[in-house]
Amino acid sequence: MLLCFFLTLELPYYLTPKVNMSTKSTQHHPKRFLSSGFTLAVTIGGIIGLGILRTPGEVAEVAPNPFLFVSLWVLGGLFALLSTIVAAELICMTPRSGGSYSLVRRAYGPFPGFVIGWVDWLSFVSDIALKAVVVTEFATLLFPDIAQWQVPLAIMVSSVFAALQLKGIALGANIQQFAAAAIALIIVGFTLALVFSGSALDNNTTSFPIQAKGIGSWSLVIAALIYTYDGWLYGAYFSGEVKGGGKAIVRAAIKGVVIVILLYTFLAAALAWKVPLLSLAGNELALAGALEMVVSPMASTIVLVVAIVMTLAHQNVLYMSTPRILQAMAVDGLAVKRAKKISKGGNPIFAVVVSWGLSVFLIIIGGFEFLLHLSVFFHIFVYVLLIAGVIILRKRQPDADRPYRAWGHPWSTLICLLGWIALSLFQAVSEIQTAMYAAIMVLISWPIYRYI
């Protein structure tokens, strides 16, 4: 299977016409004025989101044993950290913004590079639509009378954050740094509230046997953990604009992932220590359920408000990142020329508008589950190609300048690659309808590529 996988990556490189795909391209931004602190904020704010409020319930359903429960959070974090360390090699080699597309575009050739950029852009736009829908769904739980206006409100949320980008990147960067600090403090606050509250455990619930579960259940847990740690690559979408370049981004990204691992691990440990994990099984807002048991019945309302704040913060970072994919593709002649123009404020305005337009379309045609599965499916597919890109470039360009080399290569890279391939296969099998929609969107890329 792996042989066939690599053949599909190698052949298009030789069968398609070559264009200028050198990573020595200019950054195409006026200047580098984003700090490494911004990269840290983007990493922390990009990772911490709705997942940590929900996935403890999904993990507890399969692993109610406290030790196993906490260990899974640690292992999920270590896999995200290893992926960051491997991808760091490409980040340091690539002095321009654009995220996954910019990192691996020279590894695959023009059309495969276009597909990677297209899929990555679609995944981000899907996530924009998803977060806008989620905000309105949570708002209706607080204010049921607005339920009939969910779609218009979701469009309004997306539109507001698109409009913020018209002001320039400085505003979005300031919002993100403030939001990341607030979100981290909120997670610390929830953990301390659990630690210093009374316990909901009794003698019959202090330990649970490790129950036998099917492979599908465990695969779902792993996918949920990876989703909760997703966002470790966000710094690479601003590589051409961060002071200090790739090394500063890598240091901040690794530091951000480590901070999130610590936050998640301590929160998971507090949950296992204070709450019978089986009582959280399947709970869509497991953290709210835990706080209700040991702190106050009002906790669910507080967690809902926090969920809205987290989602709005994530909407901000998505609208900062998404247009930069399209802008990087336009610079290479793989998207409409207008998308490469940078405003005085430092943002590709046309790319912002196009991303906003597609997000509105997806909000109208989709719902929460469709957008969630579509977004996750695209993200995992891109990660497979990203990690494979490290192997391909090591083979094709062994003498290229690498300010940082992936620690433990090739074994670390192969472990990451096998992990992401397994996740992508699981998603394709378990969500076959979503996989078909995703395949259709990828096929649409061919006539668009030929037209451009």
Side-chain angles (χ1 to χ4, degrees):
M1 182 184 72
L2 286 176
L3 177 60
C4 294
F5 173 76
F6 281 108
L7 282 174
T8 59
L9 297 181
E10 293 280 342
L11 286 176
Y13 182 85
Y14 298 102
L15 298 178
T16 53
K18 301 300 182 286
V19 295
N20 179 22
M21 303 294 278
S22 168
T23 55
K24 295 297 183 181
S25 306
T26 15
Q27 58 175 312
H28 306 290
H29 285 83
K31 58 181 180 179
R32 295 177 182 268
F33 60 88
L34 295 175
S35 66
S36 58
F38 165 77
T39 307
L40 181 63
V42 163
T43 303
I44 294 174
I47 296 175
I48 300 176
L50 293 177
I52 192 57
L53 304 181
R54 174 172 181 165
T55 51
E58 295 174 345
V59 178
E61 189 171 9
V62 178
N65 179 279
F67 177 77
L68 180 59
F69 178 80
V70 176
S71 298
L72 286 171
W73 288 99
V74 175
L75 291 173
L78 292 177
F79 182 67
L81 180 61
L82 184 62
S83 298
T84 307
I85 291 171
V86 171
E89 178 171 313
L90 297 177
I91 294 172
C92 284
M93 292 174 66
T94 312
R96 59 180 294 197
S97 300
S100 300
Y101 164 76
S102 293
L103 295 181
V104 297
R105 77 200 198 288
R106 68 173 172 176
Y108 297 103
F111 177 61
F114 174 80
V115 171
I116 292 169
W118 172 260
V119 169
D120 199 27
W121 181 65
L122 285 176
S123 72
F124 270 72
V125 175
S126 300
D127 212 9
I128 287 174
L130 169 66
K131 295 304 189 296
V133 170
V134 168
V135 166
T136 59
E137 288 188 351
F138 284 156
T140 58
L141 294 177
L142 295 174
F143 308 102
D145 292 341
I146 66 173
Q148 59 181 326
W149 303 103
Q150 274 189 286
V151 172
L153 286 174
I155 293 173
M156 186 182 300
V157 169
S158 184
S159 301
V160 167
F161 282 93
L164 286 176
Q165 302 309 307
L166 303 181
K167 292 287 186 179
I169 191 174
L171 176 60
N174 290 334
I175 292 173
Q176 191 57 38
Q177 287 181 270
F178 173 80
I183 289 170
L185 288 174
I186 287 169
I187 297 298
V188 171
F190 284 156
T191 304
L192 292 177
L194 287 167
V195 169
F196 291 104
S197 64
S199 175
L201 293 173
D202 56 42
N203 293 331
N204 297 321
T205 59
T206 53
S207 64
F208 299 98
I210 299 176
Q211 300 178 7
K213 296 286 182 179
I215 189 170
S217 298
W218 281 105
S219 297
L220 181 60
V221 166
I222 294 170
L225 287 169
I226 295 301
Y227 172 74
T228 309
Y229 277 107
D230 187 42
W232 45 271
L233 193 62
Y234 271 112
Y237 289 84
F238 307 90
S239 291
E241 303 153 81
V242 175
K243 296 175 183 177
K247 289 185 177 180
I249 293 171
V250 167
R251 285 193 296 268
I254 292 175
K255 187 187 300 182
V257 174
V258 170
I259 289 172
V260 173
I261 292 172
L262 293 174
L263 290 173
Y264 282 2
T265 301
F266 284 125
L267 180 59
L271 286 170
W273 179 30
K274 293 289 186 173
V275 179
L277 293 177
L278 280 177
S279 66
L280 303 180
N283 193 326
E284 291 191 357
L285 278 177
L287 190 53
L291 291 169
E292 281 181 350
M293 279 188 274
V294 299
V295 180
S296 167
M298 293 294 295
S300 59
T301 301
I302 296 172
V303 173
L304 272 176
V305 173
V306 169
I308 292 173
V309 171
M310 284 183 171
T311 309
L312 291 175
H314 208 252
Q315 188 84 331
N316 179 65
V317 72
L318 285 170
Y319 258 116
M320 294 178 69
S321 309
T322 307
R324 281 163 170 74
I325 305 169
L326 207 58
Q327 189 266 342
M329 293 173 67
V331 167
D332 292 336
L334 298 178
V336 291
K337 292 181 180 179
R338 291 181 64 185
K340 70 180 180 181
K341 294 182 180 178
I342 304 294
S343 70
K344 291 182 179 180
N347 278 330
I349 299 302
F350 182 79
V352 170
V353 173
V354 173
S355 301
W356 167 81
L358 183 55
S359 78
V360 170
F361 174 73
L362 290 176
I363 289 170
I364 293 171
I365 68 168
F368 172 79
E369 290 188 6
F370 169 75
L371 293 171
L372 174 63
H373 291 306
L374 186 66
S375 176
V376 171
F377 190 88
F378 279 145
H379 276 304
I380 293 176
F381 175 74
V382 169
Y383 289 150
V384 169
L385 297 179
L386 176 70
I387 301 302
V390 175
I391 299 173
I392 292 171
L393 286 178
R394 280 288 187 106
K395 176 183 176 182
R396 289 199 185 132
Q397 301 178 11
D399 299 324
D401 183 27
R402 288 177 170 82
Y404 170 89
R405 287 179 174 265
W407 173 83
H409 181 87
W411 301 112
S412 59
T413 310
L414 288 172
I415 290 171
C416 285
L417 182 60
L418 289 172
W420 288 116
I421 289 175
L423 284 169
S424 65
L425 290 175
F426 167 72
Q427 289 293 329
V429 172
S430 61
E431 294 295 334
I432 188 67
Q433 186 175 6
T434 304
M436 291 175 64
Y437 280 118
I440 290 170
M441 290 186 176
V442 172
L443 289 174
I444 291 172
S445 69
W446 173 250
I448 294 175
Y449 170 77
R450 296 304 303 173
Y451 174 77
I452 293 173

